Amino acid sequence: MDPERILAIENAHDSGQFNKKVPILKGKGAMLFGQDGRAYIDCVGGHGVSVIGYAHPRITKAVCDYLRADRPIACGHFYDESRAELIQRLVDAMPAGSGLSRVFFCNSGTESVEAALKFAMKYKKHVKDKEIIGFKRAFHGRTLGALAITFEPRYRQDFVLIPGVKHASYNDLDSVKALLNDNTVCVILELIQGEQGVYPADPQFVRALRELCTQKDVPLVFDEIQTGFGRTGRLFCLEHYGVAPDILCLAKGIAAGIPMGATIATSKIMGAVDTGSHGTTFGGNPFACAVAVENLNIFRDEGLLDNATKVSAYLFPALEQLRQKYPAIKEIRGKGLMVGIQFKGKVAEVVKRMQERGVLVLVAGMTVVRLLPPLVITLEQAKQVVEALDAVLGEMQE
Ligand SMILES: Cc1ncc(COP(=O)(O)O)c(C=O)c1O
């Protein structure tokens, strides 16, 4: 279809909820190719979904093999080989001794968070006026439960949200202690807050929070929807911290772009959730599970985590040099290939000019440029990203 026509239809009839960029035709590795033939280095990564890169031949083969074998794309809740294998692989990937051994599949990040909240509420079913502790600057999704713990007022206004949510200050244990009481059913934390600016949690804080939640028998939930599946250079970000939650929320990079989320809980918590009290039609469908298994095989075989760590080791010092060169940059934050470049002012113009130079980047809030490239991004491509930013900031400074 003519690019002009694509824009015309989407602009006229799409819900209008999204700030779209260029019409994209296809992708390969860390590159996206526009309908107009232009090539872009993709540091948006489908909002962090595309961890193994675009058009991975093993995913193409897995999808084709699956369909050629007449296996069902979606097929109710029968036992299934692909689902069983995925469950086993995920449980095996959980930290030793964590007890994270029960998996609920859904179709998105926000659903994974909804499930976590409901499981925690069931675990604390005897508590009448249930309360949840989230954090300032948190983002957990857009459905009415997840949105209630999301902090940004702009996303929340005009909606009726679940009651009982309190927001503690990030990295501040005293602030959690001040809010935690006998009504608290869970504490939910992103190990790196992504959407509002890429803020990593302090390891001491995470360890102390773990201890507090254990002491009070309050489920601790980690939302690794953005940080999971290699984004920070380890399969899960919790590995950097050596701390396990009672419930873990996953989505984005789990199934090579096929919609899927997962909520993994301890058997103690899942044991309190009576059968049928939560559910989903599409969650855990065999097709998505088969793709997710191949996604994990790619992680196992292709050194993605090593590449993410190698590119990250180049990227952070290179960006730090830009910070020293340009007063417009205030701070560089993040881990692995989850990078936040904090500016002193608004970044919309930087984003636009980067795109003109063939690099697609995200924002996080108004003043942070966020990079979430596929983990297969090469050093050469990462250098081009830094060079493009250098050039953009140079011309904007003039
Ligand atoms: C930390 C975190 N939690 C939850 C979500 C919501 O995921 P989804 O958009 O798949 O519903 C996101 C999405 O960006 C996220 O970054």
Side-chain angles (χ1 to χ4, degrees), residues 36-113:
D36 58 0
R38 282 202 67 187
Y40 299 93
I41 300 174
D42 175 35
C43 293
V44 174
H47 281 82
V49 168
S50 179
V51 286
I52 61 162
Y54 297 102
H56 196 294
R58 286 178 65 174
I59 295 297
T60 308
K61 182 171 182 317
V63 168
C64 293
D65 289 352
Y66 184 92
L67 296 178
R68 283 205 191 96
D70 289 343
R71 296 195 57 201
I73 289 183
C75 182
H77 288 193
F78 296 97
Y79 288 100
D80 177 77
E81 184 184 350
S82 300
R83 189 187 308 119
E85 189 172 352
L86 181 59
I87 289 173
Q88 189 66 60
R89 295 281 292 275
L90 288 173
V91 168
D92 290 349
M94 292 299 105
S98 65
L100 290 163
S101 64
R102 307 286 290 192
V103 185
F104 174 83
F105 289 116
C106 53
N107 314 288
S108 65
T110 197
E111 283 176 70
S112 163
V113 171

Side-chain angles (χ1 to χ4, degrees), residues 108-111 113 139-141 190 195 223 225-226 251-252:
S108 65
T110 197
E111 283 176 70
V113 171
F139 185 88
H140 296 288
E190 291 160 272
E195 295 296 310
D223 177 343
I225 288 160
Q226 194 164 138
K252 290 205 192 273

Side-chain angles (χ1 to χ4, degrees), residues 359-377:
V359 180
L360 301 174
V361 298
L362 268 174
V363 296
M366 307 292 266
T367 57
V368 177
V369 167
R370 186 171 33 146
L371 309 179
L372 298 175
L375 310 184
V376 292
I377 189 171

Side-chain angles (χ1 to χ4, degrees), residues 169-234:
S169 300
Y170 199 61
N171 284 333
D172 180 347
L173 194 70
D174 287 339
S175 154
V176 179
K177 281 183 179 162
L179 298 178
L180 197 136
N181 60 41
D182 290 344
N183 291 336
T184 310
V185 299
C186 68
V187 178
I188 178 163
L189 176 80
E190 291 160 272
L191 291 171
I192 303 178
Q193 292 185 316
E195 295 296 310
Q196 292 300 307
V198 188
Y199 291 93
D202 167 13
Q204 274 163 320
F205 166 73
V206 177
R207 282 193 289 271
L209 183 62
R210 172 67 281 179
E211 267 174 40
L212 179 68
C213 287
T214 305
Q215 248 172 38
K216 304 280 182 192
D217 192 27
V218 168
L220 175 60
V221 183
F222 285 171
D223 177 343
E224 284 229 41
I225 288 160
Q226 194 164 138
T227 53
F229 292 94
R231 175 58 52 205
T232 67
R234 305 291 275 268

